Amino acid sequence: MQPQAAKNGLYPVQSPFQLPISLCQPMFTIIENVSLRAYNSFHMDVKSRYYAEVKSTEDVHEAIESGKLAKFGENGHLILGGGSNILFTRDYDGLVLRVSNKGIESHFEEHDTVFVTASAGENWHGFVTWCVDHGYGGLENLSLIPGNVGSCPIQNIGAYGVEVKDCFHSLEAIDLKTGEVRVFSKEECRFDYRDSIFKQELKGKYIIWSVTFKLNRNAQVQIEYGAIKQELSDLEIDYPGISDVSQAVINIRHSKLPDPEKLGNAGSFFKNPVVDLKFAGKLKESFPNLVSYPANGDKVKLAAGWLIEQCGWKGFRDGYVGVHESQALILVNYGNAKGSELLTLAHKIQNSVYDRFGVKLEMEVNII
Ligand SMILES: Cc1cc2nc3c(=O)[nH]c(=O)nc-3n(C[C@H](O)[C@H](O)[C@H](O)COP(=O)(O)OP(=O)(O)OC[C@H]3O[C@@H](n4cnc5c(N)ncnc54)[C@H](O)[C@@H]3O)c2cc1C
């Protein structure tokens, strides 16, 4: 079967000094008992019973057609990108498929609009930088978010007033049962706050293979959110372009968030809870300093970090697990923590927030 990704002209970017992929790349190979420590940003020292990298659609098709994938059963495989939104609580007994396809291509332009397709295995920040360097605006507020392009639609990543859905056009995904390539439109992805159809009924059923974004050569920069304006002013930039905004976001993130290379973490561990306006109003009567933002309809988004901080968790540490000292939403591994210990801590936090505020915190991180 001819994969649609190739039909649409998305080929891996290759240096002229490289051999053709078919000559130098090994075929799809499954290896046993592989440590996943280097492949997850919590640095959990777990093993996968089986592990394979998929670099081409042929690899995926071989995995399916040879029966190697089916062998591990419906829930016996895990697709892995950059591992920055996963908490491993145990060794994984099935097959980890690490998506490693590469390539970025701008393939259609209309006035100021540019359509850019990136392979799932591309590093997200590398891709954002590529767009900024080419003058394609829209994603700059999402600079420095860890992970890969293929994962960005799964939880509709967002930061500094922008979500991926704002620039999303479509994606190509491969059905892991049939090998068929399916194109998903924006509506079909059912994007919501840190959510999409791929976190719900299609979880684990498709490999997202490439994502197409609708970007703009003449983008209006978005600087109203968070500390961007202040950072631009500190940089003495009066008329910011997309590269200035990207740099401001990078500076802010460097100053605020722990670097997973130095301190294991997966960013926000919990989602900001979205509650009814009426409930939020009552809560505000009891807790006048409650931090909240308007959400869609008659809903209000509460700042999960504030709720956790009020319960006294900020800076908490027990052995190797803890809550970051300046970001209560970030749980950390101080060295040799076990995923199960981190999960126990997460449950304790959920319980105490519920007891104090009557609010259920939902985990943003995928628990394995
Ligand atoms: C320091 C830090 C800061 C962060 N800041 C933010 C932020 O500001 N905003 C935000 O939204 N997130 C943030 N995150 C979370 C994380 O970066 C994003 O969720 C990111 O999109 C995860 O990408 P990944 O490739 O690492 O996914 P992984 O952790 O590898 O996988 C996440 C989920 O997607 C599935 N998956 C991965 N690739 C594919 C694929 N190709 N096809 C199908 N399924 C797939 C996995 O099975 C898993 O369920 C942060 C994380 C860290 C560590």
Side-chain angles (χ1 to χ4, degrees):
M1 176 188 162
Q2 177 68 13
Q4 197 168 336
K7 264 196 232 159
N8 283 0
L10 179 71
Y11 295 103
V13 174
Q14 263 186 302
S15 125
F17 305 108
Q18 282 176 323
L19 285 171
I21 277 193
S22 57
L23 292 183
C24 66
Q25 303 270 338
M27 290 299 284
F28 174 71
T29 318
I30 294 178
I31 36 181
E32 293 194 32
N33 295 322
V34 172
S35 168
L36 298 177
R37 190 174 191 144
Y39 302 139
N40 73 97
S41 63
F42 268 121
H43 308 302
M44 288 303 160
D45 195 8
V46 294
K47 278 199 184 109
S48 180
R49 178 83 179 84
Y50 303 100
Y51 170 93
E53 295 206 357
V54 281
K55 295 194 173 99
S56 67
T57 47
E58 287 77 15
D59 288 347
V60 183
H61 289 127
E62 197 190 325
I64 297 167
E65 282 154 22
S66 66
K68 284 177 183 158
L69 201 55
K71 195 171 124 189
F72 301 107
E74 174 101 335
N75 300 314
H77 62 262
L78 172 72
I79 306 159
L80 193 59
S84 63
N85 200 20
I86 278 190
L87 174 64
F88 286 104
T89 58
R90 56 183 161 84
D91 288 339
Y92 189 69
D93 203 27
L95 169 65
V96 165
L97 281 180
R98 189 147 174 269
V99 183
S100 310
N101 60 334
K102 301 283 180 207
I104 302 174
E105 190 181 58
S106 66
H107 50 95
F108 181 68
E109 299 194 17
E110 196 178 54
H111 307 295
D112 283 337
T113 305
V114 187
F115 291 86
V116 178
T117 300
S119 296
E122 287 287 344
N123 171 268
W124 173 258
H125 179 65
F127 169 61
V128 173
T129 306
W130 185 95
C131 295
V132 169
D133 289 348
H134 282 74
Y136 304 155
L139 297 174
E140 54 281 356
N141 293 45
L142 304 181
S143 296
L144 217 61
I145 295 181
N148 290 354
V149 167
S151 327
C152 77
I154 292 176
Q155 70 153 6
N156 179 27
I157 57 169
Y160 298 99
V162 172
E163 288 181 326
V164 111
K165 72 169 170 46
D166 302 332
C167 293
F168 178 93
H169 177 262
S170 58
L171 64 80
E172 279 192 339
I174 306 172
D175 185 324
L176 283 170
K177 247 190 184 156
T178 63
E180 272 173 52
V181 177
R182 178 171 160 191
V183 176
F184 287 81
S185 67
K186 189 170 171 172
E187 289 67 35
E188 286 170 318
C189 290
R190 283 207 249 127
F191 290 123
D192 205 341
Y193 165 60
R194 298 295 177 276
D195 201 17
S196 76
I197 194 166
F198 300 102
K199 256 192 136 172
Q200 303 297 333
E201 64 259 41
L202 296 189
K203 191 175 169 76
K205 298 209 182 321
Y206 283 86
I207 283 196
I208 295 173
W209 198 246
S210 65
V211 185
T212 299
F213 300 87
K214 189 177 170 187
L215 304 174
N216 199 303
R217 281 183 181 284
N218 220 345
Q220 193 78 27
V221 290
Q222 304 207 35
I223 58 169
E224 297 306 319
Y225 199 93
I228 299 182
K229 249 187 185 166
Q230 184 58 50
E231 181 63 26
L232 288 166
S233 148
D234 292 349
L235 294 170
E236 297 181 355
I237 295 168
D238 296 330
Y239 301 99
I242 57 172
S243 59
D244 302 314
V245 173
S246 174
Q247 191 56 56
V249 169
I250 290 170
N251 294 355
I252 298 166
R253 292 185 73 102
H254 274 318
S255 70
K256 278 184 145 186
L257 299 175
D259 177 355
E261 288 305 313
K262 296 182 185 141
L263 185 62
N265 76 90
S268 303
F269 200 91
F270 303 99
K271 288 178 168 188
N272 288 318
V274 179
V275 300
D276 289 338
L277 196 60
K278 209 169 150 194
F279 177 78
K282 283 209 153 172
L283 217 50
K284 193 117 192 158
E285 282 172 19
S286 311
F287 303 97
N289 295 332
L290 182 81
V291 180
S292 63
Y293 312 92
N296 289 343
D298 55 354
K299 303 278 184 193
V300 172
K301 199 186 272 183
L302 306 178
W306 186 86
L307 299 172
I308 296 168
E309 196 177 334
Q310 296 308 301
C311 293
W313 289 107
K314 194 166 163 182
F316 170 87
R317 180 170 176 175
D318 180 13
Y320 288 117
V321 300
V323 178
H324 192 257
E325 55 200 16
S326 53
Q327 295 292 334
L329 206 43
I330 299 182
L331 305 196
V332 295
N333 171 10
Y334 282 105
N336 291 323
K338 289 198 169 78
S340 55
E341 294 166 342
L342 239 145
L343 189 59
T344 302
L345 173 61
H347 287 145
K348 284 183 186 165
I349 293 171
Q350 279 177 318
N351 290 340
S352 70
V353 167
Y354 187 74
D355 289 347
R356 179 129 193 234
F357 299 101
V359 174
K360 282 187 181 157
L361 287 184
E362 194 187 327
M363 293 183 200
E364 184 179 312
V365 171
N366 296 277
I367 310 296
I368 303 296

